[in-house]
């Protein structure tokens, strides 16, 4: 029976780590140049909190800075991410396009629900041609609450979806599924945390496992 699959983007479909360190270093280099940062780039901290909305990210990375400085840093960071995507420095996880093609052929609908910003998501979708298979891509910016569970609810409501699963690597994805009465498929990929994955209904180590999991 065809179902709808709602995918996270970062750490699930897109190998964010390939451009994350570079873009973050570029951002904090800029901050150091402007005398607004003097320490090392908090890359590990960013990895730990991957999956939360960006305002929360910058509050965690720069707790002693003003909102204005954080917003400027985020804007610069977004520009660098998009530039690095367009320059071919990013990559999808293995088998994304073949799995998407197989799921689409089987009659399943594919959506993306991400905490990433709209322009960033559009850059990924456009560069890799994901709109060939993806019905619609949604950003947390579209939801006032900034909660992924509300974003998934919005997708379900907009497309009148009754049968769906959520696929992602972090707790926000799993909770988004659970709070909407959906099956949560956890991806044990780069940014995944084992204590979070335990709350998923199913855990996969490779996207090739997904078609079989979807059928069960």
């Amino acid at each position: 029976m065809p179902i709808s699959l709602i995918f996270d983007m970062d750490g699930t479909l897109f190998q964010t780590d390939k451009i994350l360190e570079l873009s973050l270093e570029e951002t904090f280099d800029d901050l150091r140049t402007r005398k607004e940062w003097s320490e090392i780039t908090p890359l590990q901290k960013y990895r730990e909190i991957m999956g939360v909305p960006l305002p929360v990210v910058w509050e965690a990375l720069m707790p002693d800075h003003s909102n204005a400085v954080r917003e400027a840093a985020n804007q610069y960071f977004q520009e660098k991410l998009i530039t690095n995507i367009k320059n071919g420095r990013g990559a999808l996880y293995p088998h994304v396009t073949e799995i998407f093609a197989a799921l689409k052929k089987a009659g399943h609908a594919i959506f993306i629900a991400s905490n990433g910003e709209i322009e960033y998501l559009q850059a990924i979708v456009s560069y890799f041609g994901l709109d060939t298979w993806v019905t619609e891509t949604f950003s947390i910016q579209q939801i006032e609450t900034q909660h992924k569970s509300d974003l998934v609810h919005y997708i379900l409501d907009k497309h009148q979806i009754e049968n769906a699963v959520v696929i992602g690597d972090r707790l926000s994805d799993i909770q988004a599924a659970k709070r909407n009465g959906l099956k949560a498929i956890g991806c044990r990929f780069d940014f995944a945390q084992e204590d979070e994955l335990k709350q998923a209904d199913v855990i996969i180590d490779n996207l090739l496992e997904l078609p079989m999991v979807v059928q069960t």
Side-chain angles (χ1 to χ4, degrees):
M1 178 179 177
I3 66 172
S4 295
L5 296 99
I6 303 173
F7 287 86
D8 172 48
M9 178 66 91
D10 291 310
T12 299
L13 298 175
F14 184 66
Q15 296 186 59
T16 317
D17 58 328
K18 289 187 175 297
I19 61 170
L20 174 62
E21 182 172 354
L22 174 60
S23 301
L24 207 60
E25 286 288 2
E26 290 173 329
T27 301
F28 279 86
D29 279 346
D30 180 67
L31 287 168
R32 283 185 280 263
T33 298
R34 294 190 282 110
K35 309 300 183 185
E36 290 174 346
W37 191 263
S38 59
E39 302 171 30
I40 63 171
T41 301
L43 179 62
Q44 184 55 39
K45 180 64 176 178
Y46 192 102
R47 285 177 172 271
E48 292 171 2
I49 59 178
M50 278 285 292
V52 302
L54 283 167
V56 179
V57 167
W58 289 103
E59 286 175 13
L61 296 184
M62 306 174 70
D64 300 323
H65 290 69
S66 68
N67 285 332
V69 172
R70 292 176 193 152
E71 289 171 5
N74 179 59
Q75 180 61 38
Y76 190 91
F77 180 56
Q78 293 299 313
E79 292 171 359
K80 291 302 178 181
L81 285 171
I82 291 170
T83 296
N84 286 322
I85 290 166
K86 291 181 177 179
N87 287 340
R89 292 179 173 143
L92 299 177
Y93 278 96
H95 313 300
V96 167
T97 56
E98 64 183 274
I99 289 301
F100 273 14
L103 291 170
K104 191 77 171 178
K105 185 177 181 180
H108 304 304
I110 300 170
F111 300 89
I112 293 173
S114 173
N115 283 332
E117 295 191 356
I118 293 170
E119 292 81 4
Y120 166 72
L121 297 173
Q122 287 177 338
I124 297 172
V125 169
S126 176
Y127 186 85
F128 294 102
L130 295 183
D131 49 5
T132 300
W133 307 281
V134 176
T135 300
E136 191 169 357
T137 298
F138 295 85
S139 164
I140 202 70
Q141 286 181 308
Q142 296 170 251
I143 298 297
E144 186 174 348
T145 64
Q146 296 283 290
H147 291 157
K148 184 169 274 192
S149 57
D150 292 330
L151 181 60
V152 168
H153 180 78
Y154 175 72
I155 296 170
L156 297 175
D157 185 60
K158 179 178 180 179
H159 289 272
Q160 296 296 293
I161 297 169
E162 296 183 0
N163 189 18
V165 298
V166 177
I167 304 103
D169 65 318
R170 298 307 301 264
L171 185 59
S172 61
D173 305 304
I174 297 168
Q175 290 178 335
K178 299 290 187 178
R179 291 171 181 172
N180 285 283
L182 306 177
K183 183 176 182 178
I185 300 175
C187 300
R188 189 180 278 119
F189 297 169
D190 295 314
F191 300 105
Q193 304 290 325
E194 286 299 320
D195 59 330
E196 297 179 358
L197 288 176
K198 289 177 182 177
Q199 300 184 47
D201 296 299
V202 180
I203 301 172
I204 62 173
D205 296 290
N206 190 303
L207 288 172
L208 289 176
E209 301 171 44
L210 194 55
M212 184 63 68
V213 170
V214 168
Q215 293 173 16
T216 59

